Amino acid sequence: MIEGLFAPLSQVIMKKPILTVSSISKSFNSQQALDDVSLDIFPGEIVGLVGANGAGKSTLLKIISGSLSPDAGSIYFNGEKIEAYSPRLAMGKGIISVYQDLNLFSNMSVAENIFLDSGKLTKFGTVNWNATKEAAQEILSKNNLDIRADTLISNLSLAKQCMLDIIRALNENPRLLLLDEPTSALCDSEIEWLYGKMREAADNNIAIIFVSHRLDEVNEICDRSVILREGKVVHISDGKVDKSTTIKYMVGHDVVLSKQKSKEMKRDIAFECYGLESENGAKADRIILRKGEILGIAGLVGSGRTELLNTIFGIDKLKRGAIKKDGKEIRIKDPFDA
């Protein structure tokens, strides 16, 4: 028997599962994506769905949300077996998803996206745009989002779009909320905002499945975890799981994480740029990369990390500054030249 396969007895006594996944299997040609997966999700809990790339997390979410049909097994929602699979049917039952590929229309306003299927109507059955805009602005203010309701989605940053998609999902009155790596484009303060929304939803008896590759996040926000490996459930915890244990189940063996002291670098400089400024606004006083060295570039979303790499690689034009390779200054015309 798989360790931790069943939920805690106290939880079973107190609540019935809102979602039951029973012996679900799914393959794509010869690739087995899910293999006899079973689990229960209870109202008011936040469950982390964890696994390495290719473990089957996204496939499982797509089956639960109705985007895919399983090859075998059954899904029960609120005790009722789901006979037909489609996103519309799932949404009608209260299963709402937020994917990495955002479910927003970039050429429409924030208000239009929030009330896509449920805009405020006039007595003639047409959309009352003023009332719709006012209602959307009220939702934004209530959720501490500094966004105007008439703003086009395309004019929002990626982080703001992610936050808006989460609010749009919560406004659908979900009973089960599926979050697929929602923190990937958020900074620390925005992640804390998300955690607040998740806890608030759980307090209102909404069940949440949270997918993230950041294991510290899973341990912080989730009540328990479901761990997949190669399409199989290998562990369902009774509570929070520490990082090393999670990694052990994900890869199938113990992993010793150790930090090595960096050695004094005396190797030759392989790459250097200084006084860098590009047309896209990227700036760098000086960057040095030595042979055999791995250099990390960090910053918040929108801080210019991508723009800096685009400049170095010749995608964006350099206004001033110099780039050196192996001690010699070079001029990069375009990516092919780079």
Side-chain angles (χ1 to χ4, degrees):
M1 183 174 65
I2 297 172
E3 182 181 347
L5 183 58
F6 301 103
L9 181 60
S10 59
Q11 194 174 44
V12 175
I13 294 172
M14 291 175 62
K15 295 181 180 179
K16 294 181 179 180
I18 186 71
L19 175 76
T20 295
V21 175
S22 178
S23 301
I24 288 291
S25 294
K26 180 69 178 179
S27 63
F28 300 96
N29 297 321
S30 61
Q31 181 66 40
Q32 189 74 37
L34 294 174
D35 186 3
D36 196 29
V37 170
S38 297
L39 56 91
D40 288 326
I41 305 295
F42 293 84
E45 70 169 350
I46 303 173
V47 178
L49 183 60
V50 184
N53 288 330
K57 304 184 299 298
S58 295
T59 301
L60 181 58
L61 286 191
K62 288 177 181 177
I63 290 174
I64 295 171
S65 68
S67 298
L68 287 175
S69 299
D71 297 334
S74 303
I75 300 284
Y76 297 85
F77 189 73
N78 200 29
E80 178 186 352
K81 184 178 180 179
I82 296 178
E83 299 289 354
Y85 289 84
S86 80
R88 175 60 63 182
L89 289 175
M91 289 175 65
K93 295 178 181 295
I95 303 173
I96 308 297
S97 306
V98 177
Y99 294 112
Q100 282 185 285
D101 297 327
L102 301 178
N103 189 26
L104 299 172
F105 293 91
S106 61
N107 61 338
M108 296 172 67
S109 71
V110 168
E112 288 172 306
N113 273 272
I114 291 176
F115 291 107
L116 195 60
D117 292 329
S118 56
K120 305 296 181 180
L121 303 179
T122 67
K123 62 181 179 180
F124 303 107
T126 58
V127 177
N128 187 330
W129 292 112
N130 287 332
T132 298
K133 179 181 172 182
E134 289 175 4
Q137 197 65 61
E138 184 177 343
I139 290 171
L140 294 168
S141 299
K142 178 183 175 182
N143 289 282
N144 301 316
L145 280 185
D146 185 19
I147 301 173
R148 287 175 55 90
D150 57 359
T151 304
L152 282 179
I153 295 297
S154 58
N155 292 332
L156 296 177
S157 67
L158 179 57
K160 291 292 187 186
Q161 290 184 36
C162 292
M163 297 166 80
L164 178 64
D165 204 17
I166 291 162
I167 292 305
R168 178 205 56 77
L170 290 171
N171 193 57
E172 296 284 343
N173 297 317
R175 301 185 67 186
L176 172 64
L177 184 62
L178 309 178
L179 299 177
D180 189 7
E181 299 198 49
T183 62
S184 58
L186 304 183
C187 68
D188 287 348
S189 61
E190 292 160 347
I191 290 172
E192 284 302 318
W193 172 89
L194 171 61
Y195 287 174
K197 294 290 117 185
M198 291 172 66
R199 293 185 181 108
E200 184 180 309
D203 288 343
N204 289 321
N205 222 30
I206 297 171
I208 300 173
I209 298 179
F210 176 76
V211 175
S212 177
H213 284 289
R214 301 173 180 176
L215 301 183
D216 291 332
E217 290 182 351
V218 174
N219 190 50
E220 179 175 350
I221 191 62
C222 296
D223 299 309
R224 60 191 183 96
S225 296
V226 175
I227 303 175
L228 298 177
R229 185 173 73 245
E230 298 178 352
K232 297 181 180 181
V233 174
V234 293
H235 183 69
I236 297 179
S237 70
D238 292 336
K240 294 183 181 295
V241 185
D242 62 76
K243 191 174 184 177
S244 60
T245 302
T246 302
I247 294 173
K248 174 185 175 181
Y249 282 110
M250 285 173 59
V251 301
H253 55 80
D254 286 314
V255 176
V256 179
L257 302 176
S258 61
K259 183 180 290 187
Q260 296 180 350
K261 292 184 178 180
S262 58
K263 299 179 181 178
E264 185 179 353
M265 283 293 185
K266 292 185 178 180
R267 285 172 280 189
D268 293 337
I269 295 175
F271 176 85
E272 181 181 8
C273 60
Y274 53 90
L276 202 69
E277 184 176 348
S278 70
E279 290 184 347
N280 63 21
K283 295 181 180 179
D285 291 334
R286 193 180 187 196
I287 296 175
I288 294 177
L289 181 64
R290 298 179 184 274
K291 292 181 179 180
E293 184 180 31
I294 300 173
L295 177 66
I297 299 177
L300 298 178
V301 174
S303 63
R305 297 164 301 176
T306 301
E307 289 79 2
L308 176 60
L309 293 185
N310 284 346
T311 300
I312 293 172
F313 195 52
I315 295 174
D316 296 318
K317 291 184 178 180
L318 187 67
K319 287 174 62 177
R320 58 180 59 88
I323 297 176
K324 289 184 177 182
K325 177 178 177 291
D326 295 326
K328 295 181 180 180
E329 187 171 342
I330 58 174
R331 293 288 178 181
I332 298 175
K333 301 174 184 177
D334 51 46
F336 293 102
D337 188 31

